[in-house]
Amino acid sequence: MIDAAFSHLPALEPGSVWLVGAGPGDPGLLTLLAAKGLSEADVIVHDALVNEECLALARPETLVEYAGKRGGKPSAKQRDISLRLVELARAGKRVLRLKGGDPFVFGRGGEEALTLVEHNIPFRIVPGITAGIGGLAYAGIPVTHRDINHAVTFLTGHDSSGIVPDRINWEAIGRGSPVIVMYMAMKHIAEISARLIAAGRLPSEPVAFVCNAATGRQQVLETTLGEATEAVAASGLEPPAVVVVGEVVRLRASLDWLGALAGRRLLPDPFRRSGKVRA
């Protein structure tokens, strides 16, 4: 059945590069095309957020190279990673660049693809489930719910220099977006919380931190915007984490399906308990 599912899919050709999203963690969230590419690649260049269980789909003779980038730790330079993909493809290798989540959602996939275009290397983009959606789903938090929000904003908590981005219009987002999903924001949560509260968000607004999302190490911290900094410090939790701000966090009391598998009793109506009136 698996061979039949693969049969109609394109092949990873020698001298080409696939930029592949591995999803938020669970290998079961790989797409069929990602799994096929992993089984065909001569070289896999993967980042730090890829669950190593995904690499089990590679052939024994496949060369696996680590090219992870983690804030505050020694990391390969992005330009060097991009040029390594070019080098491998020019050597006639079938190259798979494996990224956590989706390569085009805060994954620098666009930068790498532009380098491939610059050097006339054929490539394919294989989208993955981004952590800001899939990781929150594994925590029982939907990014949209028609009783709460009809819009959601995804943003990064730090720019290329490692600080909170000034180019983000925090006031506009704070006032206009009912749900905010943040990548790479945990380290800067004190400054980000202050900016959002200054923009009009209530200190009592629910916030959740989902660490190591969609893996066996997943941990979830629920708190409020006003107490987030102290709560994170007291928890001892560390990145990688996805942070979500908004009333959708309250739905976790009803939709924590992983918790339910472990015995948690889910509430049929979390809004009634929180005093929120449903439309």
Side-chain angles (χ1 to χ4, degrees):
M1 183 179 297
I2 292 177
D3 289 341
F6 281 174
S7 63
H8 69 288
L9 298 176
L12 175 51
E13 300 291 346
S16 66
V17 178
W18 282 12
L19 301 173
V20 176
D26 187 340
L29 299 181
L30 286 166
T31 64
L32 281 176
L33 194 54
K36 185 173 189 289
L38 284 165
S39 70
E40 294 177 344
D42 297 315
V43 184
I44 297 172
V45 182
H46 70 93
D47 71 16
L49 298 181
V50 169
N51 187 338
E52 291 193 0
E53 293 179 18
C54 296
L55 300 175
L57 295 173
R59 293 173 295 128
E61 64 270 24
T62 298
L63 175 64
V64 177
E65 295 189 1
Y66 175 79
K69 299 177 71 67
R70 295 295 300 273
K73 298 180 180 180
S75 303
K77 294 181 179 180
Q78 183 57 55
R79 185 63 176 170
D80 292 339
I81 296 171
S82 299
L83 291 176
R84 177 60 175 159
L85 301 179
V86 173
E87 177 187 18
L88 290 167
R90 283 182 170 170
K93 304 296 184 183
R94 294 175 293 183
V95 185
L96 189 139
R97 174 69 165 118
L98 189 62
K99 295 173 169 290
D102 180 275
F104 276 6
V105 181
F106 303 117
R108 305 190 184 187
E111 298 172 47
E112 295 175 359
L114 287 171
T115 301
L116 297 174
V117 171
E118 177 187 353
H119 293 275
N120 296 311
I121 302 298
F123 68 96
R124 174 181 288 271
I125 306 299
V126 182
I129 300 173
T130 183
I133 296 175
L136 294 184
Y138 267 54
I141 302 171
V143 292
T144 65
H145 189 279
R146 67 178 184 170
D147 290 344
I148 296 172
N149 68 309
H150 295 86
V152 58
T153 297
F154 297 89
L155 59 85
T156 177
H158 69 73
D159 59 20
S160 58
S161 62
I163 62 175
V164 176
D166 284 326
R167 287 187 292 177
I168 291 177
N169 190 333
W170 292 97
E171 183 176 358
I173 290 173
R175 292 181 180 276
S177 184
V179 173
I180 305 169
V181 178
M182 297 181 282
Y183 299 69
M184 299 167 285
M186 194 175 196
K187 185 169 71 172
H188 301 295
I189 195 61
E191 182 177 350
I192 292 171
S193 296
R195 292 193 185 201
L196 291 175
I197 291 172
R201 307 296 282 230
L202 294 176
S204 60
E205 186 168 9
V207 177
F209 296 79
V210 184
C211 300
N212 296 302
T215 72
R217 305 182 308 280
Q218 176 175 294
Q219 294 177 284
V220 182
L221 171 65
E222 295 181 63
T223 181
T224 64
L225 198 58
E227 298 177 353
T229 303
E230 292 75 13
V232 168
S235 71
L237 296 178
E238 296 182 351
V242 179
V243 185
V244 56
V245 178
E247 289 295 317
V248 290
V249 173
R250 298 192 193 279
L251 282 160
R252 187 166 190 267
S254 294
L255 302 180
D256 180 15
W257 57 278
L258 280 174
L261 293 175
R264 178 178 182 176
R265 182 178 180 182
L266 301 181
L267 301 176
D269 186 357
F271 302 122
R272 183 182 304 167
R273 187 179 186 187
S274 67
K276 184 176 179 65
V277 178
R278 298 183 66 180

